[in-house]
Amino acid sequence: MVMHLLVREETKPYTNHDQLHKELIQTFFKEFLEVFFPYVHEHLDFHAIKPISEEVYTDVLEGKTRRLDIVVETKLKRQDVIVIIHIEPQSYLQTNFHERMFRYFSLLYNKYRRPIVPIAVFTYPGNWEKNEYKMELPFFHVLTFNFLTLHLRTKNWRDYLRTDNPIAAALLSQMGYQEDEKIEVKKEFLRMLTRMELDPARQRLIYGFFERYLTLSNEEEARLMKEISELPEAEKILEIPISYEEKGKEIGKEIGKEIGKKIGKKIGKEIGKELGKKEVAVEMLKKGLSMELISEVTQLDIQEIEELKKLI
């Protein structure tokens, strides 16, 4: 009894947005289904998951090649049924998206001839796409194709604070909060991080994703730090290696103290910042994350990352 779990993206060069969502869902695939689609999650045996070869499809009519980035196998609990799960992140309004989902479904079914669970994840504000595609004539209804949807902007971020789910924490930044709630959203996000036992690479991935979609001004950051200082878990939050910049500042301060000069402290901070970047990059490499994502998160060149990989 085998299940193919599949996440696909098109072969066009990924934007930063697409790459971050792909890596986030790939890294926390089980947690993604658990928090947003529990009725799917409960039927899967995640102990049996293993990756299989990459799948590529060619759309002859459009002349485009579509690559399925993640294909893994697992078992379906208590049933001898092979199922395909297809996840499609969508970051912009597209009026024919429902038809595109049907085309992807058709491509998959033509090859596997298995039941397919299609899921669309909408990450943009505005009008929502349809969640079904109909093919009908004036005299005959041919079919209705349905797919599951996750509209992040319609989700109340407060509903996910006690889940302690890493992907839910990251996606708080794209849920339906008001502008005057931004500080509180980030504060609760940091509190969630203190309750989750994550390795530095995964913690950095989550933090980097969150920061990409929810940013605070200097004034807002100052207000945030004041509110954090009044929390019972303030010390734990401040101990989080939130980013390589913060880690670099701490290293830099120590170097600056040794040098004993203001310029030394500045140089020390820069050295510490670089050390922090490389430390995070090494941890992300150990977790098998792509060099493109590591470069996006740490701002290191691909060549520098390749040199670090040789040292592991």
Side-chain angles (χ1 to χ4, degrees):
M1 179 171 52
V2 178
M3 172 179 291
H4 296 276
L5 300 180
L6 178 154
V7 177
R8 69 158 306 282
E9 300 253 346
E10 295 185 13
T11 55
K12 64 183 180 181
Y14 292 119
T15 63
N16 294 337
H17 174 92
D18 294 335
Q19 184 68 23
L20 283 173
H21 281 81
K22 170 194 165 185
E23 293 288 350
L24 187 70
I25 294 176
Q26 178 180 357
T27 303
F28 300 104
F29 188 80
K30 176 182 176 181
E31 292 84 354
F32 172 79
L33 292 177
E34 181 180 23
V35 71
F36 295 115
F37 299 96
Y39 44 88
V40 177
H41 176 274
E42 67 179 343
H43 289 285
L44 309 184
D45 181 0
F46 288 94
H47 294 95
I49 286 181
K50 62 178 181 179
I52 61 175
S53 60
E54 186 178 76
E55 300 288 348
V56 177
Y57 291 100
T58 300
D59 188 321
V60 178
L61 293 178
E62 292 190 1
K64 295 180 180 179
T65 298
R66 295 179 171 85
R67 178 168 297 158
L68 308 179
D69 291 306
I70 303 172
V71 183
V72 297
E73 293 182 354
T74 192
K75 294 180 180 179
L76 188 62
K77 294 178 181 177
R78 298 179 292 277
Q79 294 185 48
D80 189 17
V81 178
I82 299 176
V83 180
I84 296 174
I85 296 181
H86 166 218
I87 297 181
E88 182 73 13
Q90 181 70 4
S91 60
Y92 59 93
L93 180 66
Q94 187 178 40
T95 56
N96 69 335
F97 178 79
H98 58 310
E99 180 181 354
R100 184 155 63 91
M101 284 293 288
F102 175 68
R103 293 203 306 268
Y104 295 158
F105 172 89
S106 301
L107 289 171
L108 292 171
Y109 187 76
N110 185 56
K111 179 169 184 177
Y112 290 102
R113 302 299 173 93
R114 303 293 186 185
I116 300 170
V117 180
I119 301 174
V121 180
F122 299 118
T123 61
Y124 59 90
N127 297 323
W128 303 122
E129 308 279 7
K130 300 177 182 178
N131 63 354
E132 66 176 21
Y133 171 72
K134 291 184 178 181
M135 183 182 294
E136 53 188 350
L137 300 169
F139 54 85
F140 181 61
H141 178 82
V142 181
L143 63 84
T144 298
F145 164 71
N146 297 288
F147 52 95
L148 299 172
T149 60
L150 170 62
H151 297 295
L152 284 171
R153 296 289 182 176
T154 67
K155 296 297 181 182
N156 187 332
W157 62 278
R158 297 179 187 276
D159 293 339
Y160 297 89
L161 299 183
R162 303 309 304 178
T163 64
D164 291 343
N165 183 295
I167 196 167
L171 291 174
L172 289 181
S173 60
Q174 293 189 299
M175 293 185 186
Y177 54 83
Q178 300 298 319
E179 187 68 17
D180 60 2
E181 294 181 305
K182 288 172 61 177
I183 295 175
E184 188 177 2
V185 174
K186 185 168 182 179
K187 179 176 67 176
E188 294 300 331
F189 163 73
L190 293 173
R191 296 179 75 181
M192 289 178 74
L193 280 186
T194 64
R195 299 193 297 266
M196 294 184 289
E197 296 182 1
L198 298 173
D199 58 74
R202 293 190 176 209
Q203 191 177 76
R204 177 57 191 162
L205 174 61
I206 292 173
Y207 187 86
F209 185 97
F210 183 93
E211 283 278 284
R212 181 63 181 271
Y213 295 103
L214 191 156
T215 56
L216 301 179
S217 65
N218 291 337
E219 180 182 351
E220 289 171 329
E221 287 286 357
R223 288 172 53 196
L224 171 65
M225 293 306 298
K226 183 177 184 303
E227 292 186 17
I228 287 177
S229 67
E230 298 172 355
L231 295 174
E233 60 267 58
E235 186 174 346
K236 289 184 178 180
I237 292 177
L238 296 176
E239 288 176 354
I240 295 175
I242 289 176
S243 65
Y244 54 80
E245 291 91 352
E246 293 302 316
K247 184 179 292 187
K249 288 177 184 178
E250 293 304 315
I251 297 173
K253 286 178 182 178
E254 293 302 316
I255 296 176
K257 288 178 182 178
E258 292 297 323
I259 297 175
K261 296 180 181 180
K262 185 175 181 180
I263 189 172
K265 182 180 290 187
K266 182 177 180 181
I267 294 172
K269 287 183 179 180
E270 291 302 316
I271 295 173
K273 183 176 179 179
E274 290 302 312
L275 290 175
K277 286 182 180 182
K278 292 181 179 181
E279 182 178 344
V280 171
V282 168
E283 291 298 323
M284 296 181 81
L285 283 169
K286 289 179 180 179
K287 294 299 177 183
L289 298 178
S290 69
M291 290 192 181
E292 291 77 9
L293 176 67
I294 298 173
S295 178
E296 166 69 21
V297 170
T298 64
Q299 299 301 307
L300 292 173
D301 294 335
I302 295 293
Q303 185 176 357
E304 292 181 86
I305 299 170
E306 289 177 344
E307 290 299 320
L308 289 173
K309 188 174 183 180
K310 294 177 182 179
L311 301 176
I312 298 178

